[in-house]
Amino acid sequence: MRKFYNFMLFSVALCFSLISCSKSNVDGDVTQSDIMLDLPEEFLQVGMKHNEGVDYAYQGVRDYFSETKTQNPQDISKEQLLEIALSALEEYCGNSLFVTKTTGDAGDTLTLDSEIEIYFERIKSFFNENSEITSAELINELNAVNHMASLQLSDTLKKAAVFSGTATCYSSYNYWKENHKKWIIALNYPELLDEYTDEELNALELGEEGFIFPETKGIGELWQKVKATVKDWWNNGGKEIVFADGEGAALGAMTGAMIGGAGAGPGAAAGGASASISEAIDQWKN
């Protein structure tokens, strides 16, 4: 997994109350329909909770800019944005989620068990080999991965880690496909957040000179730095974000299961959401 800092790892510590991580007052397009992954409902819920947590973090970033009236996006660093977003994610989980940053040597990283990693290497190869994918193609690939894991893994926890990761990959893909515009604008054009709703931001059309806003002519030079990402989010950081989400969920599932009473599911939702936020800021904040 690509790390936000060269020598940072995220470890997720969860309390018993994370099981009830289900705040519903979240704005944004986080509802999935026609879920076709061949997985038990408990794992599909991991993906749904992931999306809710990521969108709650987005609202935290939006609120910060609204309250501070920061107009210049260069006034705030990636590190500061990450702290703001993860603070909101912690709030979403009822103050029971703690994402800690541990520094050390470059090789000091949290990694997947080798038995689990092979399934995510397959997913990564699928992403890298496809310059564009549809939801149906992604579902087919993830179902194939889940089938392999069902046949090859005897350890129940390791199966749960794979299933949590694939469910999160699918949910993450759908979330970022629908919401990448509002995130890119929040990270790079915070002065616009008070003028437009999230629905309006996600619905903005693109012109040669920039976003086509009502009664405006675009945003100027900064547009040149983000236009490629907005026009082709998947090949400009999107696939890396979705992969990080899935791998983070698998890591979170293993961590949550090792903490008495926390559980693999809550750990997966927390791990995937924190990885998603970190990678999105790293990829899309100029």
Side-chain angles (χ1 to χ4, degrees):
M1 183 192 303
R2 179 175 177 174
K3 297 300 175 183
F4 186 75
Y5 306 106
N6 289 336
F7 47 81
M8 174 181 287
L9 66 87
F10 290 106
S11 62
V12 184
L14 302 118
C15 299
F16 292 90
S17 59
L18 183 55
I19 297 173
S20 62
C21 177
S22 59
K23 291 189 178 180
S24 60
N25 57 332
V26 190
D27 296 326
D29 194 352
V30 297
T31 302
Q32 291 173 205
S33 60
D34 300 324
I35 295 177
M36 298 170 60
L37 278 181
D38 186 16
L39 284 174
E41 180 64 22
E42 65 184 286
F43 297 108
L44 300 180
Q45 285 296 314
V46 168
M48 295 292 286
K49 294 301 180 187
H50 162 276
N51 285 11
E52 289 182 2
V54 172
D55 212 61
Y56 201 91
Y58 163 81
Q59 293 300 323
V61 172
R62 185 187 243 280
D63 291 346
Y64 168 83
F65 282 122
S66 179
E67 293 167 5
T68 61
K69 301 300 180 183
T70 299
Q71 298 299 310
N72 186 350
Q74 302 308 316
D75 289 345
I76 185 169
S77 67
K78 290 183 177 183
E79 292 82 0
Q80 290 171 305
L81 277 172
L82 182 60
E83 290 182 7
I84 293 164
L86 292 182
S87 177
L89 179 61
E90 180 179 336
E91 180 181 298
Y92 167 77
C93 290
N95 296 316
S96 59
L97 165 69
F98 302 91
V99 181
T100 60
K101 292 173 265 188
T102 306
T103 58
D105 296 332
D108 189 13
T109 57
L110 187 65
T111 59
L112 285 173
D113 181 283
S114 59
E115 281 190 272
I116 301 173
E117 187 177 10
I118 59 173
Y119 302 102
F120 290 91
E121 286 300 317
R122 170 172 170 159
I123 294 171
K124 179 185 284 187
S125 296
F126 174 73
F127 286 175
N128 291 337
E129 292 166 3
N130 290 276
S131 59
E132 59 182 49
I133 61 172
T134 65
S135 291
E137 290 169 338
L138 179 58
I139 288 171
N140 287 336
E141 176 64 21
L142 296 177
N143 278 339
V145 171
N146 291 333
H147 182 64
M148 287 176 56
S150 296
L151 294 176
Q152 297 172 352
L153 292 175
S154 57
D155 187 286
T156 301
L157 176 56
K158 291 179 180 179
K159 284 184 183 180
V162 174
F163 296 163
S164 296
T166 57
T168 299
C169 275
Y170 179 61
S171 292
S172 174
Y173 170 81
N174 283 288
Y175 176 85
W176 290 110
K177 181 175 65 175
E178 298 298 328
N179 293 287
H180 63 278
K181 288 181 185 177
K182 75 178 186 182
W183 269 90
I184 292 169
I185 291 169
L187 297 177
N188 297 285
Y189 306 112
E191 68 275 15
L192 298 171
L193 295 176
D194 285 339
E195 299 181 31
Y196 302 95
T197 66
D198 291 345
E199 291 75 15
E200 289 172 329
L201 294 176
N202 281 329
L204 288 174
E205 297 182 1
L206 304 175
E208 289 301 320
E209 300 300 324
F211 292 106
I212 300 175
F213 290 94
E215 301 179 0
T216 69
K217 297 181 180 179
I219 311 178
E221 292 183 2
L222 192 56
W223 161 247
Q224 299 300 322
K225 297 181 180 180
V226 301
K227 67 177 182 180
T229 301
V230 175
K231 289 182 176 181
D232 186 7
W233 74 278
W234 177 249
N235 291 304
N236 288 279
K239 64 179 65 176
E240 286 81 8
I241 294 170
V242 174
F243 178 76
D245 293 3
E247 196 173 45
L251 286 165
M254 299 295 290
T255 304
M258 289 186 289
I259 297 175
S274 60
S276 188
I277 295 161
S278 174
E279 192 71 18
I281 293 173
D282 193 25
Q283 291 283 346
W284 291 342
K285 171 70 168 75
N286 286 307

